[in-house]
Amino acid sequence: MNRAELSRRLNARIEAGASSLGVMLVRVQRLQEFRLVHGYEASDAVGRAAHERIRELLRPQDELEQVAENEFIVLLPGLMNPGHAMLAATRAVRAFETPLLFAEHAVMTPVAVGVSLFPEHGDDATTLLRRAEIALRDAKRLSERCALYSPGTERMMVPYEWLHDALRTNRLEAHFEPILDLRRNAVCGYESLARWHDPDGGPIRPDVFIRLAEDTGLIAELTRWSLNATFRHAAAIRAQDPRLRFSVNVSPRVFGQRDLVQQITGALSVWDMPSDAVTLEVTESALMEDPLTSISMLHTLREAGLGIAIDDFGAGYSSLAYLKQFPATELKIDRSFVADMRHDLRSARVVRAIIDLGHQLDLQVVAEGIEDAETLEVLRALGCDRAQGYHIGRSTPASFLLDRVATG
């Protein structure tokens, strides 16, 4: 069914006096990768198998429609409260944690799910479908892989033209956040963070403009800017203290670029930065969206001498089978576990387990989000290697940090 017909039917339900209605958008991940390997016919079979699996989760009164190769929309009438809609979304995510089976194939196709509600989030089909899409965009970055639309989210969205112009005119700024070596109790390096203060929109949150870059194809340009801005400042700071290492975040969305390795090594050469002083950080959940491509590219980058950190470890859909194949040098524990470890025994045990796992794999383990001295000391006692967070030091504009290092 096309979206126009679906909108017509959704509006008809609303006009007929529906008291409550959920719109659930389910997007199947990694279907394109499967199609490239096995062909269109097999890909269509995956779509049919996904349709059947979703159908099995639903009530008789729910309506399921496939609106694209990898997209399904479910209309959920008569919901008693938002929790019921999120229960359906959670069940959909969990249902795809086991492989789809058909013919001679078994394929893992994780999903992301976004939900909007009538009348809370809109009173017409166009608004409800758009807000389900916004919720799905947020879900892709959550460990639960599902999200309910949050009112006001659109205000955090910025036009493509703003970011394109900011990159073209170099109006973004590199900030550096200190990383503490827990054994030496000394700063051993910095993580580079992109910041943007638009003259019209004010400060734009990084998750907002990075998401925009990924969704619009500007991520390659943002990556080039980030690499060069980081290495330029890092080289100047290392001239004062060559022991310092620097980390920079890279989106797997650029892994398909044939010249990515040349871009990175070229930027290192331009700014006279040794590759072994740089660590590339990639989030765990993003790596798992296309693990085969990620593994191949990370091996190439590692062979070029760069360190590889798996960021937000523990928050995504971890797979030990893939972890042993990633040529990582660091694990960065997701801040949600670190923040809860003082008050939640389970979180503390997860942190201990990640530290032990990392060391068994000969990886350095970094904890993020340290906000007090007690948490820092607990991590030190657990054998964590490095840490960063507000308690250690907030991010600072790279130019300010250079002045501070130069003056001692």
Side-chain angles (χ1 to χ4, degrees), residues 164-365:
H164 181 268
D165 188 58
L167 288 167
R168 182 178 58 83
T169 57
N170 195 31
R171 289 208 307 270
L172 273 66
E173 188 174 34
H175 284 216
F176 285 165
E177 180 179 327
I179 303 171
L180 184 71
D181 183 318
L182 292 177
R183 290 183 172 81
R184 295 193 298 114
N185 199 36
V187 171
C188 60
Y190 295 87
E191 178 181 354
S192 177
L193 305 167
R195 294 292 183 260
W196 178 21
H197 190 287
D198 185 81
D200 298 317
I204 310 294
R205 282 177 22 194
D207 63 318
V208 172
F209 69 78
I210 291 172
R211 179 187 299 144
L212 172 64
E214 290 181 335
D215 290 345
T216 60
L218 286 174
I219 190 62
E221 191 172 345
L222 178 58
T223 299
R224 281 193 295 272
W225 174 87
S226 182
L227 291 169
N228 282 282
T230 299
F231 298 162
R232 175 166 65 92
H233 291 292
I237 293 170
R238 274 178 49 84
Q240 306 295 325
D241 187 348
R243 297 171 300 174
L244 295 174
R245 293 183 55 86
F246 290 82
S247 299
V248 59
N249 294 276
V250 177
S251 169
R253 298 287 182 90
V254 300
F255 282 2
Q257 293 181 242
R258 294 182 178 180
D259 64 342
L260 177 62
V261 176
Q262 288 76 13
Q263 280 187 40
I264 296 174
T265 55
L268 288 169
S269 177
V270 165
W271 301 110
D272 196 24
M273 274 288 290
S275 59
D276 60 4
V278 175
T279 296
L280 303 178
E281 297 192 11
V282 190
T283 61
E284 176 193 21
S285 56
L287 286 172
M288 292 302 295
E289 287 186 11
D290 188 353
L292 298 180
T293 299
S294 298
I295 289 169
S296 175
M297 179 55 70
L298 291 180
H299 274 287
T300 304
L301 293 168
R302 186 73 190 99
E303 289 166 4
L306 296 141
I308 304 294
I310 300 180
D311 201 7
D312 300 339
F313 186 78
Y317 35 99
S318 308
S319 169
L320 296 182
Y322 280 116
L323 178 61
K324 69 179 183 180
Q325 297 181 56
F326 290 134
T329 55
E330 295 180 13
L331 288 184
K332 300 193 74 172
I333 306 172
D334 184 70
R335 64 183 63 243
S336 63
F337 297 115
V338 175
D340 293 342
M341 62 183 295
R342 284 179 52 205
H343 313 289
D344 179 58
L345 183 59
R346 281 180 172 270
S347 291
R349 287 173 174 170
V350 168
V351 170
R352 179 191 293 274
I354 293 174
I355 293 171
D356 291 344
L357 172 65
H359 289 165
Q360 288 294 322
L361 295 173
D362 296 323
L363 306 177
Q364 294 286 299
V365 181

Side-chain angles (χ1 to χ4, degrees), residues 50-52 54-56 58 62-66 72-75:
H51 185 284
E52 185 59 32
I54 298 171
R55 178 71 264 176
E56 292 171 355
L58 304 179
D62 297 334
E63 183 176 346
L64 169 63
E65 299 293 347
Q66 184 169 359
F72 302 85
I73 288 180
V74 183
L75 304 184

Side-chain angles (χ1 to χ4, degrees), residues 28-42:
V28 179
Q29 309 291 308
R30 297 176 57 193
L31 196 57
Q32 182 180 15
E33 171 195 333
F34 184 80
R35 184 177 67 244
L36 291 173
V37 175
H38 298 286
Y40 281 94
E41 186 174 340

